[in-house]
Amino acid sequence: MNWTRWLPLRALSGWRPRDLNGDLAAGLTLAAIAIPEQMATARLGGFAPEMGLFAFVAGSAAFALFGANRHLSSGADSTITPLFAGGLALIAVAGSAHYLALAEMLALMVGLLVGLSGIFRLGWIADLLSVPVTTGFLAGIAVHIIVSQLPGLLGLPPESGETLRRVGEIAANLHLINPWSLALGLGVFAIVFTAERISARIPGALIGMVLATLAVAIFGLKARGVEVLGALRNGLPQAGLPTVSLSDTQALLPLALLIAIVVMVQTAATSRSFAGDDVNRDFVGVGAGSILSGLFGAFAVNASPPRTAIVAQSGGRSQFSGLIAAAIVLALGAFGGGLLADVPEAALAGVLMFVAQYILRWKVFANVYRQAPVEFLLILVTMTAIVVLPIETGVAIGIGLSLLHGLWSATRTQAIELEQVPGTSVWWPPSTPSAGEQLPGVLVAAFQAPLSFVNAESFKRGVCKLIDARGDSVKLVVLEASNIAEIDYTAAQALIETIAHCRKAGAVFAIARLESLRAQAALARFGIADLVGPHRIFHSVDGAIKALSPDKKLAGQQDKAP
């Protein structure tokens, strides 16, 4: 392994003084967007608002050191916060010292898993969740955010427990709604929504929060029952390892694995969307952010698609923009707690309500429903599981459904007999209206998927069935293998048995167009290349027919095909 590629500051390499203007503008814009969002996300997870600010600082600083993408923004994230908050609430009381210690340890575990995944180049894990399952997951998370923020938006007492029970209690307390809180929350939501429609660079959340805070002070809304944050604690967090028992650490491991997968999926998607050329390096950067965040008493962080887009659109040239934003946010968290004393909780609820509707992928819902009804069921099942069941159980079900759907798709592949397009040397699956031709004594079979344990039996059964259907007339069987990218042990045994069946039927077996280097290596490793014989492995179907066809006149005709 080339360890030099992991040296720090790659995302800052090539920085030039003339890039400062773009990075400064992007950093100021990012800070304006991040401050209210990070505070709201911290509240969503049951933490003091300033811990969201420190999580952003940790995520930004660590990614600037170890990440590769020049625009990616890492910090507190509303996608994973409900997930780990729900999981931690099953072990400790939200907001307690035990809860905070568990969150710190969870951040260390998630950061270690994500970082090691990058070091050992496990970026393929990010592809384990299909788009429908990811859409259902985000929809379920959006429902959790909405339900958790409704009490703050409506001025009702905070609720806890299962989502459906919370909904029932909120409905029962609707007569207690505080109209001032509702007006503030909806006003902030409207400002953020409108600003985002005009330009993502407008810090609508900050504008809304400032206006809501001024309204509280000018109109004396605290006396009218509007809840505010109160003065935040000034000072920097102290570094140290969390004090957690071994049994608690073991209990956190399944949750850490789930969150790590979600972080990798979102990080990969964000990095690839913004010219990322090294997803594994970005895993290291985001993982390091969670570790640093946990060491300073905060919680796990994640890549943020909307904040990353803001950096790119604001002219950011490097991770220096993230460091500028981190410095501003750190100064506020360390010295400006008094400035945030009159921020109404309804304002933060309004910000999170916007986030919730933002992550609901309505267009994907509509497209999947119209184009792939079966996969639309994956969206509904995943969303329902996350809403109705404990959230970490719902995520596990979503991941399982995604894997099962992938396996199901692979098992549906069937062996087919190709036909020669008249007047050409092209062999193609049977189609209408231009039917192809079959050559006497020749069977050209194809399997349009990698060969693995999930479809090995289907492959063997399908090819043997094609051979048996032709009876004694078939003298040459050519496996057109252009789509076979991989062959595992189980599939290799099935291929060996298929070759034996072919020979028992009195036919010669050949392989054509095995283009995958991995599949070629598998043929040699499992002894199949020797079994078939190097002289029966060809670059083209026509080459196999020309060399091995029992009908020499037919072989001669292949030479004339264009």
Side-chain angles (χ1 to χ4, degrees), residues 47-112:
F47 302 91
E50 64 267 22
M51 297 316 299
L53 303 180
F54 294 135
F56 175 79
V57 173
S60 299
F63 193 88
L65 284 173
F66 298 104
N69 192 291
R70 296 181 180 275
H71 297 130
L72 190 144
S73 176
S74 175
D77 177 64
S78 56
T79 302
I80 62 171
T81 300
L83 177 56
F84 67 70
L88 294 177
L90 299 176
I91 307 175
V93 177
S96 65
H98 187 204
Y99 179 93
L100 299 179
L102 289 176
E104 295 168 22
M105 177 56 72
L106 183 64
L108 296 179
M109 295 170 70
V110 169
L112 189 62

Side-chain angles (χ1 to χ4, degrees), residues 324-469:
I324 293 173
I328 295 171
V329 172
L330 179 62
L332 179 65
F335 310 109
L339 300 175
L340 305 172
D342 287 336
V343 174
E345 293 187 359
L348 298 184
V351 172
L352 285 172
M353 286 291 184
F354 171 79
V355 172
Q357 66 83 33
Y358 185 88
I359 65 176
L360 278 171
R361 301 179 177 178
W362 296 112
K363 291 184 179 179
V364 178
F365 265 80
N367 290 338
V368 174
Y369 177 78
R370 184 175 62 256
Q371 300 170 1
V374 173
E375 295 187 64
F376 184 74
L377 292 177
L378 293 177
I379 296 179
L380 297 181
V381 171
T382 303
M383 180 180 70
T384 302
I386 288 176
V387 171
V388 174
L389 301 175
I391 191 167
E392 68 278 7
T393 303
V395 173
I397 289 175
I399 293 173
L401 285 174
S402 187
L403 295 176
L404 286 174
H405 180 250
L407 291 175
W408 177 72
S409 299
T411 58
R412 294 179 65 199
T413 305
Q414 300 293 325
I416 59 174
E417 180 175 359
L418 301 184
E419 297 174 341
Q420 187 179 29
V421 177
T424 73
S425 60
V426 176
W427 290 81
W428 204 257
S431 60
T432 55
S434 56
E437 299 175 341
Q438 294 179 344
L439 303 183
V442 177
L443 168 63
V444 180
F447 195 74
Q448 298 175 312
L451 276 177
S452 69
F453 69 96
V454 299
N455 56 27
E457 186 62 29
S458 173
F459 165 79
K460 181 181 73 173
R461 188 168 56 247
V463 175
C464 291
K465 185 177 179 180
L466 292 174
I467 294 172
D468 293 342

